[in-house]
Amino acid sequence: MGDKKRVLVKFSGEALAGENGFGIDTHILKFIASEIKELVLNNVEVGIVIGGGNIIRGVSAAKDGIIKRTSGDHMGMLATVINAIAMREALEHSGISVRVQSAIKMEAICETFIMGRAGRHLEKGRVVIFAAGTGNPFFTTDTAATLRAIEISADMIIKATKVNGVYDKDPMKFIDAVLLNEISYEKAMDDSIKVMDDTAIALAKDNKLPIVVCNMFKKGNLLKIINGDYSNCSVVKN
Ligand code: UDP
């Protein structure tokens, strides 16, 4: 690794669905691709994890007991591969070099996750999309994203969301809600805040990985954050 900035950006599957609430909206893909391109053009090494919630989640698939939870989770992980392929297409369409690496081997479709190989791609300026979560049921893509961020020694993980960050109270209900610029890992685990699931936050804490929560729909936001401007987002750190 050189002195370049390296970042892991996590998008929820739902973000890709846009107003449809389901499936993949190519306008959103195009917007995300343009934001990621901005990073690449500024010499940032970028890893991406996308969830699968726009297609299926293990817990909901298994809710009536017909589908086993583990099978539902397999379905959820496959959903993340679908999203990863869509994102790869959008990035390639915008002229970016990109590789998908899946935690579950599917060699006709994409590479399998190999840490060293992912590192080489990143050094060469390729975006790497990490698909299929951790490859294990009972985990989330937030945990997968945190794990990959640590494995590739990212400077930070950015959780790109629909909101600006974490507030002291619900900004939809209270007009005097204040955006919290800095919060501790312990606070981030609070039920009222829940930046990510406990597993993901514990992993980030143990490895001193800062988690930045920001608004993905504000143009230029990702680059701004990577350049050290945290004024309009929340940073979880010690
Ligand atoms: N999943 C899993 N193991 C992982 C990551 C994900 O089993 O390591 C499954 C799980 O069923 C989850 C689904 O994949 O519900 C989609 O991921 P997630 O819910 O994290 O997506 P998001 O909410 O970010 O769209």
Side-chain angles (χ1 to χ4, degrees):
M1 232 201 331
D3 49 10
K4 283 187 178 174
K5 294 258 171 58
R6 186 174 277 190
V7 66
L8 190 300
V9 189
K10 159 78 204 309
F11 297 94
S12 73
E14 270 165 9
L16 301 194
E19 281 165 16
N20 304 333
F22 182 83
I24 299 168
D25 181 336
T26 49
H27 294 100
I28 307 244
L29 286 183
K30 201 171 159 204
F31 173 75
I32 295 177
S34 70
E35 291 295 285
I36 298 295
K37 184 171 185 174
E38 198 63 26
L39 302 184
V40 175
L41 292 178
N42 282 278
N43 278 320
V44 181
E45 297 175 347
V46 188
I48 298 177
V49 168
I50 312 170
N54 54 323
I55 300 171
I56 200 154
R57 289 201 172 91
V59 175
S60 9
K63 68 174 181 299
D64 64 4
I66 294 171
I67 297 172
K68 283 197 290 292
R69 168 69 192 273
T70 44
S71 300
D73 281 341
H74 290 156
M75 293 159 74
M77 286 187 273
L78 291 173
T80 72
V81 181
I82 295 176
N83 287 335
I85 294 168
M87 196 65 243
R88 179 190 68 199
E89 292 304 296
L91 286 165
E92 273 178 356
H93 187 260
S94 73
I96 304 268
S97 182
V98 46
R99 296 289 186 275
V100 174
Q101 288 203 343
S102 167
I104 298 168
K105 188 172 173 179
M106 35 184 111
E107 57 188 356
I109 293 178
C110 60
E111 292 181 9
T112 303
F113 173 65
I114 299 174
M115 201 184 73
R117 199 164 177 200
R120 290 288 294 144
H121 288 321
L122 294 167
E123 281 167 13
K124 288 180 181 165
R126 294 176 187 140
V127 170
V128 182
I129 307 174
F130 299 104
T134 63
N136 302 291
F138 303 106
F139 288 93
T140 63
T141 50
D142 280 353
T143 298
T146 307
L147 176 63
R148 294 295 182 244
I150 295 163
E151 286 178 289
I152 63 168
S153 306
D155 300 299
M156 65 182 88
I157 176 170
I158 300 181
K159 181 162 167 146
T161 70
K162 292 176 186 169
V163 294
N164 289 341
V166 180
Y167 289 81
D168 63 342
K169 49 191 154 188
D170 188 348
M172 299 294 189
K173 287 186 197 148
F174 302 94
I175 43 165
D176 61 341
V178 178
L179 181 71
L180 305 173
N181 278 123
E182 247 186 69
I183 54 177
S184 66
Y185 292 103
E186 286 75 16
K187 185 134 176 84
M189 281 188 201
D190 258 25
D191 279 341
S192 59
I193 293 179
K194 277 267 178 237
V195 166
M196 290 180 171
D197 57 284
D198 290 355
T199 313
I201 297 171
L203 197 56
K205 178 174 188 265
D206 283 352
N207 292 281
K208 300 182 175 57
L209 175 75
I211 307 167
V212 180
V213 185
C214 77
N215 190 329
M216 59 178 278
F217 293 109
K218 284 208 172 124
K219 209 165 172 35
N221 217 13
L222 296 178
L223 185 60
K224 202 173 113 180
I225 289 163
I226 289 158
N227 286 334
D229 182 347
Y230 301 118
S231 56
N232 206 16
C233 63
S234 300
V235 185
V236 182
K237 57 180 190 179
N238 267 335

